[in-house]
Amino acid sequence: MNPFAYSRPASLADTVNELAGSSRSRIIAGGTNLIDLMKENVERPAQLIDINRLPFSTIDELPDGGLRLGALVTNADTAYHPLVEQRYPLLSQTILAGASPQLRNMATNGGNLFQRTRCYYFYDTSMPCNKRAATNNGPGGCAAYGGYNRIHAILGTTDDTNGQSSCVATYPSDMAVALTALDAVVQVTGPNGDRSIPMADFHRLPGAEPWRDNTTQPGEVVTAIDLPTRGFPDHYTYIKVRDRSSYAFALVSVAVGLEMDGDVVRDARIALGGVAHKPWRKSEAEQLLIGKTLSPETIRPVADALLAGARGYGHNDFKIELAHRAIIRAVLKSGLDNGAVE
Amino acid sequence: MLTETLPVANAPDALPATRPIELTINGKKRQFRLAPWTTLLDALREYANLTGTKKGCDHGQCGACTVLIDGKRVNACLTLAVMHEDHTITTIEGLADSATGQFHPLQQAFIDHDAFQCGYCTPGQICSAVGMLNEGKVENKADQIRELMSGNLCRCGAYPHIVDAIQEVMNKDR
Ligand SMILES: Cc1cc2nc3c(=O)[nH]c(=O)nc-3n(C[C@H](O)[C@H](O)[C@H](O)COP(=O)(O)OP(=O)(O)OC[C@H]3O[C@@H](n4cnc5c(N)ncnc54)[C@H](O)[C@@H]3O)c2cc1C
Ligand code: SF4
Ligand code: FES
Ligand code: FES
């Protein structure tokens, strides 16, 4: 790790000031992603701002019936919170499918949103990487484009034939996949005040700026994540396909929430993880399920629509078929038995 | 003489000073002077001379560095010592009964069940098991124990005996 100054601001206002004051300042919450990246010299902050004493460590009911998850509540405390378990079991199960118990005890809800890609070339400062090069840290280009890209994205990528401006990284969070399916809203405070960012707009595709993972502006701090009232507690599933059955990132994951009227689908939410630079959702695809009874035949067009335009880069070609099958299985499971995690 | 304009070559910034840090470890308050970039793991091993906590991967991937902070299991390699001045830290050295010297029931069960070979992962396994029982989310079922102990890898593959040792302690608790 490089040397850095350490501060513990007493208020949110001080935090925003310190953060906005230098492009080399970073917030530290649980530290489980940032310290790892600092050990690899991928992150080299001049200052760490420890926000752990700020008052964002509670889960509170909202007047409209939703739930506000403080940015500093740990992933473990969120997953095991009685109201989350009751009303948003999809979120609870999804969080518990990620990382390890030790990591979930430290990882915070805010930090989870900002966790960076696990692209191995991003982690290796000697390799060309457009995401890392923008911070003056190693050569530009995209080593993954023509390299070993088994864990990489199949949707929404930036690619060109020589990889010069490409990024085919995925955003690796499990939690965010459920938050996207649930239409959660991220609460942010920055130098220009407060704003709310719907999950669908929080993360971004790499586009021409692969170094930007999300749409927050410099100096902005996440204070909370709000869950709307509808939690799909009766019909939900999170399927996470990975190389070992625990303590591994998703190759492909699917979060599903359904509302059923007998055998007929009244509303459907489907979000994918492990396939793109952000959790992947398409309302056109979800619409195709409304009014249908569930069978592989009725779900297949939905999977086709969600995966329209998918392409592999060699080592990750398998993800297209894998995602297709995982979607069908997850939707079926949600409708038939109140599915738990696989 | 011709002069050539070259970019200014910067020496690294001076290191920020170390700072006094007080940590409560295994029931005792201890003072340190540490740089802020000292991980809790390095503080324990290099400065508190508590080498029971092991460094396996140093990246959150193995669980060898598991300690308890306020009774919760965490990876000491991915957190900074300076962040824990107001917490209570328990390491493998602090699990035995300090008055009688008697092992913690999980320590005894690991010995009785031969739940290790080289022993490198063992302090982390035991601290993790203590944390898991504190959490109270695990039922006495092997598959659940395996899932909730999955943050601790054992290169020697002592997993079956580790699960046996934990189940024995859970059986006695009932
Ligand atoms: C071995 C390993 C396995 C893992 N497996 C999984 C997995 O299977 N699934 C999964 O989803 N995750 C997994 N993770 C990732 C883990 O979930 C994240 O590291 C964690 O959620 C990050 O949260 P944190 O509080 O520790 O963040 P930190 O490391 O403290 O911060 C991460 C980033 O977020 C910024 N930040 C933090 N809080 C805020 C805030 N409130 N406002 C603005 N910026 C903020 C920081 O500046 C930093 O850039 C794994 C991690 C490891 C090490
Ligand atoms: S995929 Fe993105 S993160 Fe990975 S090497 Fe290419 S530019 Fe970097
Ligand atoms: S040394 Fe901390 S998890 Fe491996
Ligand atoms: S006993 Fe050797 S690593 Fe577990």
Side-chain angles (χ1 to χ4, degrees):
Chain A
M1 274 189 263
N2 67 290
F4 55 82
Y6 170 84
S7 67
R8 219 151 33 199
S11 69
L12 177 58
D14 291 350
T15 305
V16 169
N17 277 341
E18 287 189 22
L19 194 60
S22 156
S23 64
R24 291 191 60 210
S25 293
R26 289 284 179 284
I27 283 177
I28 184 158
T32 60
N33 191 221
L34 185 57
I35 294 177
D36 194 18
L37 291 166
M38 287 165 65
K39 287 181 179 184
E40 302 285 6
N41 273 323
V42 174
E43 287 276 7
R44 297 171 301 183
Q47 181 189 17
L48 281 196
I49 306 170
D50 181 352
I51 60 169
N52 283 289
R53 296 182 191 193
L54 297 185
F56 308 126
S57 33
T58 57
I59 293 183
D60 304 300
E61 292 191 73
L62 292 167
D64 67 356
L67 207 56
R68 172 161 291 181
L69 312 172
L72 288 171
V73 183
T74 63
N75 282 178
D77 286 347
T78 305
Y80 289 129
H81 192 282
L83 291 179
V84 177
E85 285 181 326
Q86 253 170 47
R87 298 187 198 165
Y88 308 96
L90 172 63
L91 178 61
S92 177
Q93 298 292 301
T94 300
I95 292 174
L96 293 177
S100 70
Q102 287 97 315
L103 288 160
R104 296 193 294 266
N105 276 341
M106 293 210 288
T108 63
N109 293 334
N112 195 312
L113 291 179
F114 286 90
Q115 67 170 296
R116 308 217 62 191
T117 183
R118 306 303 287 199
C119 170
Y120 4 83
Y121 302 106
F122 172 74
Y123 262 77
D124 180 348
T125 54
S126 66
M127 298 303 287
C129 171
N130 292 321
K131 198 183 261 305
R132 193 173 12 75
T135 52
N136 245 334
N137 192 350
C142 174
Y145 179 84
Y148 187 64
N149 45 36
R150 186 167 173 277
I151 66 170
H152 288 77
I154 52 173
L155 287 159
T157 53
T158 302
D159 54 42
D160 56 23
T161 40
N162 56 18
Q164 269 320 297
S165 57
S166 306
C167 181
V168 295
T170 62
Y171 164 64
S173 165
D174 290 298
M175 182 189 84
V177 182
L179 291 177
T180 301
L182 291 170
D183 272 343
V185 176
V186 186
Q187 302 298 346
V188 175
T189 299
N192 301 320
D194 301 344
R195 62 186 184 118
S196 304
I197 311 174
M199 266 309 281
D201 303 330
F202 188 86
H203 295 96
R204 60 186 292 286
L205 296 178
E209 297 174 312
W211 51 92
R212 289 181 57 213
D213 292 353
N214 56 61
T215 56
T216 59
Q217 298 298 320
E220 284 187 325
V221 179
V222 167
T223 59
I225 301 167
D226 289 354
L227 296 169
T229 31
R230 291 174 65 211
F232 302 90
D234 297 328
H235 298 282
Y236 66 91
T237 296
Y238 188 65
I239 286 185
K240 179 174 178 182
V241 189
R242 44 190 155 167
D243 284 329
R244 56 184 184 195
S245 61
S246 187
Y247 204 7
F249 285 94
L251 290 165
V252 165
S253 70
V254 189
V256 177
L258 299 180
E259 256 172 36
M260 304 288 292
D261 193 351
D263 286 345
V264 179
V265 177
R266 291 229 335 248
D267 195 9
R269 306 275 180 82
I270 312 170
L272 308 181
V275 296
H277 203 254
K278 61 184 287 190
W280 193 259
R281 233 187 109 180
K282 270 193 177 172
S283 57
E284 314 92 87
E286 293 167 1
Q287 291 305 317
L288 297 175
L289 262 185
I290 315 279
K292 300 274 163 48
T293 53
L294 295 177
S295 71
E297 291 66 40
T298 53
I299 306 169
R300 203 164 284 132
V302 179
D304 290 340
L306 253 168
L307 295 170
R311 64 155 293 193
Y313 293 89
H315 299 279
N316 67 349
D317 297 349
F318 73 95
K319 279 194 180 185
I320 301 173
E321 180 63 24
L322 185 64
H324 204 272
R325 293 182 190 192
I327 293 165
I328 294 176
R329 195 155 137 234
V331 174
L332 272 180
K333 197 167 164 50
S334 312
L336 301 181
D337 49 6
N338 301 335
V341 188
E342 306 266 313
Chain B
M1 190 175 78
L2 276 177
T3 55
E4 191 185 355
T5 314
L6 289 171
V8 178
N10 286 315
D13 292 340
L15 307 189
T18 55
R19 53 198 276 154
I21 293 174
E22 183 178 273
L23 298 176
T24 306
I25 308 171
N26 300 331
K28 297 197 192 78
K29 283 196 190 317
R30 300 186 54 168
Q31 331 295 329
F32 302 85
R33 279 201 75 88
L34 297 175
W37 49 91
T38 312
T39 61
L40 179 58
L41 177 58
D42 287 344
L44 292 170
R45 290 182 54 83
E46 310 296 330
Y47 300 101
N49 295 322
L50 292 168
T51 53
T53 308
K54 301 297 183 231
K55 184 183 282 192
C57 63
D58 215 19
H59 289 283
Q61 297 175 0
C62 76
C65 64
T66 304
V67 298
L68 301 159
I69 298 183
D70 294 341
K72 292 187 174 168
R73 47 180 167 159
V74 304
N75 302 120
C77 67
L78 287 189
T79 190
L80 303 173
V82 65
M83 296 168 73
H84 298 292
E85 291 188 284
D86 46 2
H87 299 139
T88 328
I89 297 151
T90 308
T91 69
I92 189 73
E93 290 92 340
L95 286 183
D97 187 306
S98 56
T100 63
Q102 191 129 51
F103 280 136
H104 185 285
L106 276 163
Q107 288 175 305
Q108 190 60 52
F110 266 63
I111 296 169
D112 296 343
H113 285 271
D114 205 7
F116 42 78
Q117 290 176 43
C118 76
Y120 198 81
C121 70
T122 313
Q125 299 278 3
I126 293 177
C127 285
S128 184
V130 172
M132 176 177 72
L133 298 185
N134 287 347
E135 285 156 16
K137 298 295 177 192
V138 68
E139 288 168 47
N140 195 346
K141 291 184 184 151
D143 58 343
Q144 270 203 28
I145 294 171
R146 276 196 290 268
E147 167 60 25
L148 289 176
M149 286 294 291
S150 67
N152 294 82
L153 305 191
C154 175
R155 190 66 183 77
C156 300
Y159 299 112
H161 289 190
I162 293 171
V163 173
D164 291 348
I166 294 170
Q167 286 202 287
E168 186 194 82
V169 172
M170 292 183 75
N171 287 334
K172 281 189 187 149
D173 271 0
R174 275 197 303 199

